[in-house]
């Protein structure tokens, strides 16, 4: 057992190893419930032991006899709240020794713990089946026994954790991991955290409120509501959480999520929300809630048959045509208190389609319920690339509401490979615009209800907030005769104001040559472009002064030189250095506040032990410090810091709960500084294993050809060759027995050739097995080396290393924003170069020269 407490990063790595054992045998969407189930089983058993030891001490202190103590310890009533009674059959001390019929043994253990805690766990674990068929087979005993041993290495008592909610954070990480792996299926149980955050901040739940999610999924909306309350300095226990989910496995994941977060009071029901809402009040009427947050499944059908509480719906949508979206919204409104607020994700279609959806929008707007419509970027969600929006309904002040706020944030995001992501500054800007409730050009617009009615209640966001970028300007004179229009250069004034001298180093004023003569206007041999200029009204070329156009300076005659020129320009370097110096000074000034976060600090502050209080203090401070600079927007300044804290939240919580422990120094940093050769060996082994695995996968493709002569064989061919070899050997034995020497020799040679091919292939398989074993061995060696190194680090030394890392990561997070601004500047200058560096006349001359050369070639070849 480690001498150090378990950190989130270490727990994540241990869970990832457990996933690795199953990854090659089944999809993530299939094995996620195995991971969740095993994690819950181990946690329940460890907590049971923890509680039993506490009770033993308590009973002994009361002078209770051993017999009486033993009787009470075996009583399930002693284990409530976050504790579960674990019967002998489900106890980890028995589970970890399972070697035969392992799947059945695990199923029995889950059933036993569920049956012993039926009030809290009814149906939560019964859906997990370790004997489930994957294709044509089930997981073997060896695989499941190894899988169990991964969890044997994970200590899950409270005392083992760096901070109290570590297991909940790990569970959320697992849900995100499985969502990333599951693709389209992820939409059933996961909403991107950024979208959840927007909904929560807009809803702004307060202490003693109730929060409800009618399509709860894995529970992200409820968990983040609780976290938000804590961020605002309130007790998260003063928030009543309710949820409903129709899919059994997803409901089970949500229940375990709540329990592993220590939220035993969350009331999560399994039922179809539209058909049968499950939360009732004392009078057997629908329960009302202060806040409703949801991301319902998009574009579903529904049925009016057996629909309970039909009064929830003022406008019934068609049962077919996949238009149940606004049925969910009407349900949410129906269960909202008279002063309540809801925020729900919706597909864009509900904003502009006619028919019953138009009538529903009219109802929302005429009643004053619709407060805001927020357009989100496309491709944010798993399983669909369609753009979505957030509808905000607010019953508070509905009678007096005269406007609807439209926010168009569909262009504010970071592009990813498989899907897009909203950046911290994008979230901050949306929430800020909503809370301000004012017009922001090309971003937010307050629209009078009468104006929306005049548009037939069409709520298409771009109808009211057009955020399309202005058309790219093109100066015909510059295209023809060269030069860059100064008006387009000045349009980039933001960069010139920030980076002193950069504009002058890139552009030089030009004196325009007379356009008369040659190919110019009015000259002999007047060109087609000059004639076009006359037609377009650009004939008076001599009226242009030298200040209207500029040329690229000599260093920028080649487009490829622009990036290096900007990066090396003193104005850019100095401005970035000034910003970073100011940031470093801010960090040093506020470092005592960070150090006072630790539980073992010698100088406690009001925020000691409270990460969220520290976040509020530092976020306000850094926003104030950088409010008068124009290099980063206020949204970027706040967003970058919020993202920095979010990424390090687990470490900061560990510091707050456990002080400056050496376990917070990442393994990689210890290995890189003290054992670089071990890392190098591991990287080399991983690279070769990945190469072999890719080779085996390629061999099973239909069009595979072993062009590199690796000797790898398709798996079907291996089976066929083994069968053929067996047949040949049988025939060879028969030929030898019957004295057919020539036949025996031919068959022996044929068998030798097949054996050679199989041996070569097997050597590759053996190498892959050896690499896997070596990687496991090296991982174990790494763990031992890191553990030994950590044991030698004092808490003061750890504090110095951790503080240095926190500062380094803060600087790097803002440095990334500065690099992004620099890249944007380069792109803007390159755009001008692409448009104007080569004139139309030069293109025309090059074309004429190429035509002349082509004619000469044709004459030489005898074609003319």
């Amino acid at each position: 057992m480690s001498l150090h407490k378990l950190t989130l990063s270490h727990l994540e790595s241990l869970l990832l190893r457990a996933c690795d054992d199953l990854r090659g045998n089944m999809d993530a969407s299939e094995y996620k419930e195995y991971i969740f189930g095993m994690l819950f089983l181990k946690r329940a058993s460890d907590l049971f032991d923890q509680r039993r030891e506490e009770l033993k001490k308590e009973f002994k202190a009361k002078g209770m006899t051993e017999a009486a103590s033993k009787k009470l310890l075996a009583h399930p009533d002693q284990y409530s709240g976050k504790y579960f009674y674990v019967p002998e059959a489900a106890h980890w001390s028995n589970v970890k020794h399972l070697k035969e019929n392992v799947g059945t043994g695990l199923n029995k253990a889950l059933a036993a713990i569920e049956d012993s805690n039926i009030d809290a766990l009814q149906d939560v674990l019964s859906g997990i089946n370790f004997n489930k068929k994957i294709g044509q087979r089930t997981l073997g005993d060896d695989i499941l026994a190894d899988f169990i041993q991964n969890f044997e290495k994970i200590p899950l008592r409270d005392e083992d954790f760096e901070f109290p909610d570590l297991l909940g954070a790990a569970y959320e990480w697992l849900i995100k991991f499985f969502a990333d792996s599951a693709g389209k299926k992820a939409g059933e149980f996961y909403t991107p955290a950024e979208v959840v955050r927007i909904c929560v901040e807009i809803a702004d739940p307060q202490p003693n409120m109730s929060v409800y999610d009618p399509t709860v999924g894995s529970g992200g909306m409820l968990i983040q509501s609780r976290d938000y309350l804590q961020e605002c300095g309130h007790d998260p226990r003063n928030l009543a959480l309710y949820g409903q989910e129709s899919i059994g496995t997803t409901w089970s994941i949500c229940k375990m999520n709540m329990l592993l977060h220590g939220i035993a009071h969350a009331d999560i029901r399994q039922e179809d929300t539209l058909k049968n809402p499950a939360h009732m009040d004392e009078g057997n009427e629908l329960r009302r809630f202060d806040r409703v947050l949801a991301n319902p499944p998009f574009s579903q059908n529904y049925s009016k048959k057996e629909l309970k509480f039909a009064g929830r719906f003022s406008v019934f949508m068609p049962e077919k045509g996949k238009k149940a979206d606004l049925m969910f919204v009407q349900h949410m409104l129906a269960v909202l208190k008279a002063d309540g607020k809801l925020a729900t994700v919706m597909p864009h279609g509900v904003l502009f389609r006619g028919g019953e959806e138009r009538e529903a929008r009219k109802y929302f707007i005429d009643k004053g319920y619709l407060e805001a419509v927020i357009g989100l970027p496309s491709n944010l969600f798993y399983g669909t690339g369609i753009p979505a929006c957030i509808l905000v309904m607010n019953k508070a002040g509905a009678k007096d509401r005269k406007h609807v706020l439209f926010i168009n944030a569909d262009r504010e995001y970071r592009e990813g490979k498989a899907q897009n992501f909203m950046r911290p500054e994008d979230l901050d800007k949306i929430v800020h615009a909503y809370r301000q409730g004012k017009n922001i050009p090309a971003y937010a617009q307050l629209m009078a209800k009468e104006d929306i009615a005049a548009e037939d209640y069409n709520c298409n966001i771009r109808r009211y907030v057009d955020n399309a970028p202005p058309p790219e300007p093109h100066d015909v004179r510059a295209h023809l005769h060269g030069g860059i229009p100064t008006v387009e250069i000045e349009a980039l004034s933001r960069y010139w104001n920030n980076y002193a001298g950069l504009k002058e180093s890139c552009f030089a004023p030009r004196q325009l040559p007379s356009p008369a003569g040659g190919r110019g206007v009015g000259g002999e041999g007047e060109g087609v472009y000059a004639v076009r200029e006359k037609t377009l009204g650009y004939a008076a070329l001599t009226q242009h002064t030298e200040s209207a156009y500029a040329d690229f300076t000599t260093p920028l005659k080649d487009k490829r030189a622009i990036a290096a020129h900007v990066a090396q320009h003193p104005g850019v370097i100095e401005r970035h250095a000034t910003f970073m110096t100011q940031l470093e000074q801010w960090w040093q000034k506020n470092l005592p506040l960070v150090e006072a976060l630790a539980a073992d600090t010698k100088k406690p502050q009001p925020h000691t032990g409270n990460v969220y209080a520290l976040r509020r203090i530092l976020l306000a401070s850094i926003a104030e410090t950088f409010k008068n600079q124009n290099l980063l927007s206020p949204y970027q300044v706040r967003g970058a810091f919020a993202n920095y804290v979010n990424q390090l939240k687990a470490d900061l919580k560990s510091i707050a709960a456990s002080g400056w422990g050496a376990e917070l120094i990442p393994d990689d940093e210890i290995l890189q500084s003290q054992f670089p050769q071990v890392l190098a060996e591991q990287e080399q082994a991983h690279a070769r294993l990945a190469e072999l695995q890719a080779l085996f996968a390629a061999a099973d493709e239909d069009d595979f050809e072993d062009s590199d002569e690796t000797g790898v064989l398709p798996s079907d061919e291996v089976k066929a060759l083994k069968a053929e070899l067996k047949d040949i050997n049988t025939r060879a034995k028969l030929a030898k027995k019957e004295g057919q020497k020539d036949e025996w020799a031919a068959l022996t040679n044929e068998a030798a050739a097949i054996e050679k091919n199989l041996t070569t292939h097997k050597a590759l398989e053996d190498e892959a097995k050896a690499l896997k074993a070596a990687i496991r061995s090296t991982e174990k060696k790494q763990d031992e080396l890191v553990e030994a190194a950590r044991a030698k680090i004092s808490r003061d030394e750890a504090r110095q290393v951790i503080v240095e890392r926190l500062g380094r990561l803060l600087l790097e997070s803002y440095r990334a924003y500065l690099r992004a601004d620099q890249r944007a500047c380069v792109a803007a200058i390159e755009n001008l170069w692409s448009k104007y560096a080569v004139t139309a006349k030069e293109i025309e001359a090059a074309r004429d020269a190429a035509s002349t050369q082509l004619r000469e070639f044709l004459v030489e070849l005898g074609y003319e």
Side-chain angles (χ1 to χ4, degrees):
M1 184 72 67
S2 169
L3 297 174
H4 298 285
K5 292 190 174 186
L6 194 63
T7 62
L8 180 59
S9 60
H10 189 204
L11 178 54
E12 288 172 356
S13 69
L14 292 172
L15 291 171
L16 194 57
R17 290 182 193 177
C19 292
D20 287 341
D21 275 356
L22 300 180
R23 194 175 299 169
N25 297 284
M26 55 204 304
D27 292 337
S29 60
E30 294 171 319
Y31 71 72
K32 68 177 185 295
E33 60 194 62
Y34 290 4
I35 297 286
F36 291 143
M38 193 68 78
L39 183 64
F40 187 85
L41 187 61
K42 179 63 160 62
R43 167 64 167 168
S45 193
D46 283 7
L47 268 186
F48 175 76
D49 290 344
Q50 174 184 313
R51 176 62 175 161
R52 189 162 53 180
E53 290 174 12
E54 291 170 357
L55 288 171
K56 278 183 181 179
K57 292 179 181 177
E58 182 183 324
F59 295 158
K60 186 176 181 179
K62 291 180 178 178
M64 196 175 292
T65 66
E66 187 173 338
S69 174
K70 189 174 181 180
K71 185 177 180 180
L72 276 177
L73 290 172
H75 201 287
D77 288 348
Q78 297 293 335
Y79 307 88
S80 59
K82 68 177 181 180
Y83 302 103
F84 298 96
Y85 180 76
V86 180
E88 194 68 21
H91 197 272
W92 190 257
S93 59
N94 293 315
V95 169
K96 70 179 181 181
H97 293 304
L98 287 173
K99 300 297 180 187
E100 296 179 350
N101 298 317
V102 180
T104 301
L106 289 172
N107 288 345
K108 287 181 178 179
L110 291 175
I113 195 170
E114 183 176 306
D115 291 343
S116 298
N117 303 271
I118 202 68
D119 290 342
L121 296 179
Q122 184 173 5
D123 298 327
V124 173
L125 305 175
S126 57
I128 302 172
N129 179 11
F130 285 93
N131 284 330
K132 183 170 64 176
K133 271 197 171 184
I134 311 300
Q136 295 297 313
R137 62 190 180 89
T138 59
L139 292 180
D141 284 344
D142 289 345
I143 293 173
L144 288 175
D146 288 344
F147 180 58
I148 290 172
Q149 292 311 306
N150 282 300
F151 287 87
E152 169 64 12
K153 302 169 187 173
I154 307 177
L156 294 177
R157 294 187 180 203
D158 287 346
E159 64 198 40
D160 297 316
F161 300 156
E162 271 287 333
F163 58 90
D165 195 29
L166 181 137
L167 192 58
Y171 196 86
E172 289 179 53
W173 173 84
L174 271 176
I175 291 173
K176 174 68 165 63
F177 171 80
F178 288 124
D180 290 339
S181 306
K184 290 186 177 181
K185 294 180 181 178
E188 294 177 359
F189 62 88
Y190 186 78
T191 300
E194 299 86 358
V195 177
V196 176
R197 179 71 190 192
I198 294 170
C199 292
V200 170
E201 289 213 32
I202 284 172
D204 189 28
Q206 297 297 311
N208 302 313
M209 280 189 175
S210 56
V211 178
Y212 168 63
D213 184 345
T215 54
V216 73
S218 58
M221 294 280 190
L222 302 183
I223 297 291
Q224 282 216 36
S225 295
R226 185 172 174 270
D227 289 348
Y228 175 79
L229 202 66
Q230 193 168 7
E231 285 179 27
C232 295
H234 305 298
D235 188 340
R237 293 172 296 182
N238 295 332
L239 197 66
L241 303 179
Y242 299 85
Q244 187 163 333
E245 174 58 44
S246 62
I247 301 173
T249 54
T250 305
W251 170 81
S252 177
I253 289 171
C254 181
K255 285 285 287 184
M256 285 190 278
N257 194 9
M258 297 297 154
L259 293 170
L260 292 176
H261 271 87
I263 313 174
H265 67 274
D267 186 350
I268 312 298
R269 308 287 179 90
Q270 184 191 350
E271 187 56 78
D272 184 316
T273 299
L274 291 183
K275 183 178 290 187
N276 184 17
H279 294 92
M280 302 292 150
D281 62 16
E282 294 79 2
N284 206 30
E285 296 292 327
L286 286 175
R287 182 182 287 275
R288 302 302 196 267
F289 306 96
D290 296 290
R291 297 290 184 265
V292 179
L293 302 168
N295 176 22
F298 288 179
S299 307
Q300 300 286 303
N301 289 323
Y302 80 102
S303 173
K304 291 180 183 177
K305 187 178 180 181
E306 299 178 358
L307 194 72
K308 295 182 179 179
F309 297 99
R312 292 175 288 163
F313 309 107
S314 298
V315 182
F316 278 90
M317 299 298 116
E319 293 180 78
K320 304 299 180 185
K322 298 184 176 181
K323 292 184 177 180
D325 305 290
L326 294 184
M327 293 293 285
F328 280 107
V329 176
Q330 290 181 84
H331 164 75
M332 295 178 217
L333 264 177
V335 298
L336 199 62
K337 287 184 178 179
D339 58 350
K341 184 191 295 188
L342 74 84
T344 181
V345 181
M346 282 281 125
H348 263 217
V350 304
L351 300 178
F352 53 79
R353 289 193 293 250
E356 291 84 350
E357 288 175 305
R358 182 258 185 204
E359 294 305 310
R361 291 195 300 273
K362 181 179 186 300
Y363 172 75
F364 299 150
I365 293 167
D366 289 350
K367 287 286 188 179
Y369 295 145
L370 185 61
E371 184 180 29
V373 180
I374 302 168
L376 300 176
S378 61
N379 203 28
L380 286 178
F381 297 87
Y382 295 93
T384 177
I386 65 173
C389 64
I390 295 174
L391 299 184
V392 183
M393 307 262 185
N394 195 349
K395 285 188 175 179
K399 290 182 180 179
D400 301 321
R401 186 164 291 116
K402 305 297 182 185
H403 298 82
V404 176
L405 177 66
F406 288 85
I407 298 174
N408 196 348
D410 65 1
R411 292 185 178 275
E412 319 259 334
Y413 64 94
R414 173 176 65 83
E415 196 169 308
K417 290 182 180 179
Q419 63 188 109
N420 296 325
F421 303 91
M422 299 189 76
R423 301 161 298 187
E425 60 266 30
D426 303 329
L427 276 63
D428 189 78
K429 188 174 181 180
I430 289 173
V431 174
H432 183 259
Y434 167 75
R435 290 177 178 172
Q436 290 289 106
K438 297 178 181 178
N439 295 337
I440 300 174
Y443 189 78
Q445 184 71 39
L446 276 169
M447 293 301 301
K449 291 163 60 176
E450 295 79 9
D451 293 335
I452 302 173
E455 295 287 341
D456 199 28
Y457 295 95
N458 187 320
C459 292
N460 192 334
I461 300 169
R462 288 202 172 180
R463 185 175 288 250
Y464 308 111
V465 187
D466 184 4
N467 65 349
E472 182 70 37
H474 284 275
D475 187 299
V476 177
R477 175 67 182 81
H479 278 308
L480 289 174
H481 301 291
I484 303 97
T486 53
V487 66
E488 292 190 39
I489 296 172
E490 292 307 321
L492 306 179
S493 60
R494 177 183 171 282
Y495 299 115
W496 317 139
N497 293 337
N498 280 322
Y499 303 134
L502 180 60
K503 180 177 73 171
E504 292 75 15
S505 74
C506 294
F507 307 101
R510 67 164 5 202
Q511 177 67 50
L512 292 178
S514 172
R519 301 184 67 84
V521 176
E524 187 180 346
E526 185 177 51
V528 64
Y529 288 103
V531 172
R532 188 175 296 154
E533 284 188 283
K534 282 183 177 180
T535 306
L536 294 172
Y538 293 107
L541 301 178
T542 55
Q543 294 179 5
H544 288 273
T545 64
E546 64 176 357
S547 62
Y549 295 90
D551 280 321
F552 279 105
T553 55
T554 302
L556 300 189
K557 292 302 181 185
D558 187 337
K559 181 180 178 181
R560 292 172 295 183
I562 294 173
H565 178 80
V566 172
Q568 297 164 9
H569 190 271
V572 176
I573 295 171
E574 182 181 345
R575 183 67 189 91
H576 285 187
T578 300
F579 184 95
M580 295 307 295
T581 298
Q582 189 177 8
L583 183 62
E584 287 188 59
Q585 291 172 346
W586 177 87
W587 172 250
Q588 292 301 323
K589 178 182 177 182
N590 288 278
L591 187 54
L593 292 175
V594 177
E595 291 180 322
L597 175 67
D600 56 0
T601 183
K602 296 176 181 177
K603 298 179 180 179
Q605 299 283 338
H607 69 275
T608 295
N610 189 332
V611 174
Y612 299 108
L614 178 67
R615 179 186 183 275
R616 288 197 303 275
I617 294 168
L618 295 184
L619 186 58
S621 173
I622 201 164
E624 178 67 23
T625 298
F626 289 98
K627 69 177 182 181
N628 294 322
Q629 54 80 44
N630 297 311
L631 197 53
L632 300 184
S633 71
Y635 306 117
Q636 288 175 316
V637 171
R638 291 194 299 269
F641 187 79
N643 190 49
Y644 163 77
V645 173
N646 192 52
Q647 289 179 337
L648 289 169
K649 185 161 62 176
D651 286 0
L652 294 172
K653 283 184 174 181
S654 294
I655 293 166
S658 306
W660 304 100
E663 58 273 13
L664 292 179
I665 304 172
D667 291 5
D668 284 352
E669 290 192 15
I670 292 177
L671 288 167
Q672 195 64 60
S673 63
Q674 299 188 40
F675 312 105
Q677 75 286 354
V678 175
L679 275 183
E681 290 171 9
Q682 190 77 321
E683 288 172 9
Q684 188 175 356
H686 274 293
R688 176 56 180 162
L689 180 59
E691 183 182 335
L692 287 173
Q693 289 173 333
L695 190 61
F696 293 137
D700 285 331
E701 296 292 331
D702 293 337
D703 57 350
F704 174 71
E705 290 183 14
D706 191 12
S707 54
D708 294 331
E709 297 182 352
T710 61
V712 70
L713 298 171
S715 54
D716 289 343
E717 188 175 337
V718 172
K719 292 178 183 177
L721 285 175
K722 286 181 178 178
E724 186 180 352
L725 181 61
K726 184 178 180 180
D727 179 62
I728 290 172
N729 286 332
T730 301
R731 287 159 52 201
K733 286 180 181 178
L734 183 60
K736 185 177 182 181
K737 183 178 181 181
E738 294 178 353
Q740 299 174 5
K741 292 184 179 180
D742 291 342
E743 177 71 8
W744 174 80
L747 289 170
T748 302
N749 289 336
E750 192 176 345
I754 293 174
E755 283 181 342
K756 182 180 178 182
N757 290 338
L758 289 173
T759 300
T760 303
H761 178 82
K762 189 174 185 305
L764 294 173
E765 290 183 326
D766 290 344
E767 183 184 359
K769 289 179 182 178
L771 284 168
K772 287 180 181 179
I775 288 170
R776 283 195 295 268
S777 175
T778 305
E779 284 176 348
K780 185 177 180 181
K781 180 181 177 183
Q782 280 181 250
D783 293 343
E784 291 170 353
L785 290 172
V786 168
E787 196 67 34
R790 281 207 177 98
K792 299 176 182 178
I793 301 174
S794 69
R795 293 188 80 78
D796 190 57
E797 290 171 333
R799 180 187 60 78
Q800 294 176 37
V801 173
I802 295 166
V803 164
E804 187 277 330
R805 176 172 174 264
L806 293 177
R808 172 165 38 87
L809 292 176
L810 175 71
L811 298 181
E812 184 51 43
S813 66
Y814 279 92
R815 198 174 283 118
Y817 278 84
L818 300 186
R819 287 196 296 267
D821 186 74
Q822 181 178 308
R823 287 194 299 271
C825 177
V826 169
I829 299 171
E830 287 179 340
N831 182 48
L832 293 177
W833 200 101
S834 298
K835 287 200 294 184
Y836 300 120
V838 181
T839 67
K841 285 192 173 185
E842 290 171 329
I843 294 172
E844 190 178 59
R847 181 202 65 191
D848 292 345
S851 297
T852 301
Q853 190 176 27
L854 178 60
R855 283 195 297 272
E856 292 172 355
F857 287 151
L858 292 173
V859 169
E860 289 179 14
L861 294 171
Y863 287 102
E864 291 189 12

